[in-house]
Amino acid sequence: PPGERIRLLLEFCHRTIDRVYATIMTAPRPLRIALLTYSTKPRGSVVHTLELAIALTELGHHVCVYALDKDGQGFERSLPCQ
């Protein structure tokens, strides 16, 4: 049934998130992390991506954010990551 497929998918997502969180928080050395987003304009998921990049950088990881930049203006604010 469709409800069962959704439940299984959500369980898979939760397990994956738990593993990623555990890896990030217990890494013996800084991780090199690439984050991708669709634009440099500060909207929705772009803002979430930038906030995640900042938080990971504050934890000591090396983060690089890749985004489409159609107008060549870059992000509206400077970031502590690449």
Side-chain angles (χ1 to χ4, degrees):
E4 179 65 10
R5 283 191 297 237
I6 292 171
R7 184 186 68 74
L8 292 172
L9 178 60
L10 288 174
E11 284 179 8
F12 171 78
C13 291
H14 285 204
R15 284 192 309 271
T16 302
I17 290 169
D18 288 344
R19 282 193 302 265
V20 169
Y21 177 80
T23 299
I24 289 171
M25 297 307 287
T26 61
R29 58 187 168 81
L31 299 175
R32 294 176 58 194
I33 301 169
L35 298 176
L36 301 123
T37 189
Y38 66 93
S39 175
T40 56
K41 305 233 183 293
R43 300 181 186 131
S45 64
V46 175
V47 174
H48 293 290
T49 301
L50 298 180
E51 292 298 322
L52 178 59
I54 292 167
L56 291 168
T57 300
E58 288 174 354
L59 287 172
H61 300 296
H62 304 287
V63 181
C64 186
V65 179
Y66 294 92
L68 296 176
D69 187 15
K70 293 179 185 175
D71 58 7
Q73 299 298 311
F75 293 109
E76 69 167 1
R77 58 182 166 161
S78 63
L79 300 170
C81 53
Q82 296 180 334

